[in-house]
């Protein structure tokens, strides 16, 4: 190549304010320098309050580890009530100006966050897999693009709320306290922050103790997007930090995703306070396979339903109901397929089953699997070799299970499937609904009428037919009974972040 530097000829159109100018973004931004970095994790993170990282008042920190290696990735600040106070005050101060901003301008910030997420997708995917243990294929192809999609979708609503709620005036609720779990850390942050901001609210969000990093990277990203200070505040800490946020008098709305147990505590805490709340809690979804289903596809659906994200999925298809005539065939196909799943390094793009999110979660899975064996169910585990370090669990299915077994009643939140059989559609419906949960469900059959007949009788908020675990920002998501209340996503999700008046 010639050493002489090539110079581009001047662009006459640009010089005359021509075509190039027409395509310029209204508010241009420089591409992020780290867009090309793979993963920049700082050795320590403060709390993101009022647009800047600050230390916790107590100076306390805790470690977040990589569950595949047990190595500490970073030390993050532990927020106590004084810090929660500061974050809520910042969100309150930002609320007025943010709410008064022209709605189309608010939308632009959401679009910009979405674009920056796309630009830095690789970095976010790598950090998500390192901090939480999920396979990079999932964080790359699912979590990060879905998070960006939520910001795009809600950016579109920001200046169209009068069409979302025709004939009524939508005003923001105020300051939202948001608490998210460790299974989809970035995506849950997007599910919470995007609709809140689109409707003119400001937020204080607490990520889970074991997976704080992508929320903190998102905090950095909101600053790079020029989001006004205080609109998004991210505070890290354990359950006590979440509890301090729930009980703070300056919070107008609580949005929580996590366990049913903590959801119930939150509901008690907000009773009679006037605080709005939505709770997205646990599940024990029935995945129903009829004899007339395309069985090979159904088996892929079952694998995706229970082994996606190591089964750390509230809507996982964790109870398989298979019609008697095909039960033997389905179990045999499933066992063969389980052996082909690649378990190991979450950062290897061929990995299907990553690490279990934490030692505590691994112990919970192990305890429930032991209970399954002790109560008399038959266990089938695939034979993958487990890495020496880290937290791992082999894909596991149980046959000969009974409705009374803990493994068919309790949420395991791991790669463990309980299989039962049924003879008639009515029996399938009766068994499917025999659970305190009501989050999701799935049906596989060749007959359209059966799809409508059975799904119409299932008491679950999200239902899939001839597919499973498919998500879209336009679809409301949420449950009945002990799976919680309220919806996230779609129009229903927006409604949770506005007060409506005539
Ligand atoms: P969890 O305790 O409910 O945690 C969810 C979030 O709430 C985390 O940010 C947690 O903080 C915070 N938190 C804990 N105690 C709190 C309190 N008293 N007040 C306010 N916030 C509080 O769930 P987990 O312990 O991580 O998991 C336990 C089980 O919950 C799992 O085995 C699974 O069955 C279920 N789960 C369901 C979902 C879902 O998507 N529906 C997600 C995760 C877990 P820390 O993480 O710092 O404790
Ligand atoms: Mg971690």
């Amino acid at each position: 190549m010639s050493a002489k530097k090539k110079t581009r000829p001047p662009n006459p159109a640009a010089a005359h304010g021509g075509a190039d100018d027409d395509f310029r973004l209204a508010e241009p931004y420089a591409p992020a320098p780290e867009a090309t970095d793979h993963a920049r994790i700082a050795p320590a993170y403060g709390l993101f309050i009022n647009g800047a990282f600050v230390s916790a008042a107590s100076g306390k920190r805790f470690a977040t580890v990589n569950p595949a290696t047990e190595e500490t990735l970073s030390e993050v600040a532990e927020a106590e009530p004084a810090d929660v106070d500061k974050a809520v005050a910042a969100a309150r101060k930002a609320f007025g100006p943010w709410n008064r901003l022209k709605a189309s301008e608010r939308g632009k910030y959401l679009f910009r966050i979405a674009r920056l997420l796309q630009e830095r997708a690789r970095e976010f995917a790598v950090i998500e897999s390192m901090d939480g243990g999920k396979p990079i294929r999932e964080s790359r192809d699912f979590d990060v693009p879905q998070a960006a999609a939520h910001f795009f979708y809600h950016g579109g609503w920001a200046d169209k709320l009068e069409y979302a709620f025709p004939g009524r005036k939508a005003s923001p609720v105020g300051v939202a306290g948001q608490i998210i779990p460790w299974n989809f850390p970035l995506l849950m942050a997007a599910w919470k922050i995007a609709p809140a901001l689109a409707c003119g609210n400001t937020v204080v969000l607490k990520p889970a103790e074991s997976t704080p990093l992508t929320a903190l990277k998102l905090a950095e990203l909101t600053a790079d997007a020029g989001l006004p200070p205080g609109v998004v505040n991210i505070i890290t800490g354990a359950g006590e930090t979440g509890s301090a946020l729930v009980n703070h008098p300056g919070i107008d709305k609580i949005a929580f995703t996590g366990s049913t147990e903590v959801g119930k505590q939150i509901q008690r805490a907000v009773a009679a306070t006037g605080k709005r709340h939505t709770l997205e809690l646990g599940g024990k979804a029935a995945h129903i396979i009829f004899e007339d289903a395309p069985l090979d596809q159904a088996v892929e659906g079952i694998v995706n339903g229970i082994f996606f994200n190591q089964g750390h999925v509230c809507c996982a298809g964790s109870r398989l109901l298979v019609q008697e005539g095909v039960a033997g065939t389905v179990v045999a196909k499933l066992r063969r397929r389980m052996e082909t799943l690649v378990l190991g390094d979450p950062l290897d793009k061929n990995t299907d089953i990553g690490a279990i999110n934490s030692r505590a979660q691994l112990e919970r899975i192990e305890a429930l699997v032991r209970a399954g064996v002790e109560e008399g169910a038959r266990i089938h585990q695939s034979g993958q070799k487990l890495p020496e370090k880290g937290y791992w669990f082999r894909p596991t299915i149980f046959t000969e299970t009974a409705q009374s077994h803990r493994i068919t009643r309790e949420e395991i939140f791991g790669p463990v499937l309980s299989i039962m059989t049924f003879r008639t559609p009515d029996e399938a419906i009766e068994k499917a609904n025999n659970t305190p949960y009501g989050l999701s469900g799935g049906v596989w059959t060749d007959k359209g009428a059966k799809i409508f007949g059975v799904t119409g009788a299932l008491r679950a908020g999200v239902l899939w037919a001839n597919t499973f675990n498919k998500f879209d920002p336009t679809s409301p998501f949420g449950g009945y009974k002990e799976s919680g209340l309220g919806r996230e996503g779609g129009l229903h999700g927006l409604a949770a972040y506005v007060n409506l008046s005539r």
Side-chain angles (χ1 to χ4, degrees), residues 55-104:
S55 305
S58 68
K60 283 190 201 157
R61 294 184 183 286
F62 62 94
T64 183
V65 303
N66 179 338
T69 61
E70 301 178 48
E71 279 161 9
T72 293
L73 293 168
S74 185
E75 299 269 340
V76 303
E78 185 172 334
E80 292 190 346
D83 306 297
V84 175
D85 239 8
K86 224 166 115 184
V88 174
R92 177 63 58 195
K93 188 158 159 263
F95 173 59
W98 177 246
N99 175 25
R100 284 192 297 274
L101 197 66
K102 206 170 156 206
S104 56

Side-chain angles (χ1 to χ4, degrees), residues 63-67 73 130-133 209-213 357:
T64 183
V65 303
N66 179 338
L73 293 168
M130 288 174 78
D131 203 15
E209 216 176 334
S210 66
T211 53
L213 293 181
N357 185 269

Side-chain angles (χ1 to χ4, degrees), residues 88-244:
V88 174
R92 177 63 58 195
K93 188 158 159 263
F95 173 59
W98 177 246
N99 175 25
R100 284 192 297 274
L101 197 66
K102 206 170 156 206
S104 56
E105 292 299 311
R106 277 205 310 269
K108 278 186 202 164
Y109 283 109
L110 277 92
F111 290 134
R112 200 186 279 183
I113 292 169
R115 288 282 304 276
L116 285 173
L117 266 174
Q118 289 182 319
E119 282 180 18
R120 300 181 193 174
R122 188 179 174 87
E123 184 187 17
F124 273 88
V126 169
I127 296 176
E128 195 74 314
S129 284
M130 288 174 78
D131 203 15
K134 67 174 66 198
I136 189 75
R137 196 159 37 80
E138 292 180 10
S139 36
R140 183 194 66 190
D141 298 345
F142 178 76
D143 298 67
V144 180
Q146 280 280 318
H150 271 266
F151 281 102
F152 277 123
Y153 173 75
H154 288 99
W157 273 127
D159 61 353
K160 299 175 194 69
L161 293 179
E162 60 189 290
Y163 302 101
F165 307 105
R168 285 174 299 172
K169 186 175 166 357
S171 50
V173 175
V175 175
Q178 309 182 316
I179 299 171
I180 57 170
W182 42 260
N183 52 346
F184 295 96
L186 176 69
L187 184 55
M188 288 302 104
W191 277 32
K192 298 274 182 287
I193 294 171
L197 265 46
C199 297
N201 305 278
T202 56
V203 309
V204 178
L205 177 133
K206 191 199 90 68
E209 216 176 334
S210 66
T211 53
L213 293 181
T214 45
L216 293 164
K217 294 301 283 188
L218 183 64
E220 278 177 10
L221 185 147
T222 63
D224 293 345
L227 193 71
V231 173
V232 168
N233 305 276
I234 310 277
I235 54 168
T236 43
E240 295 76 46
T241 309
S243 180

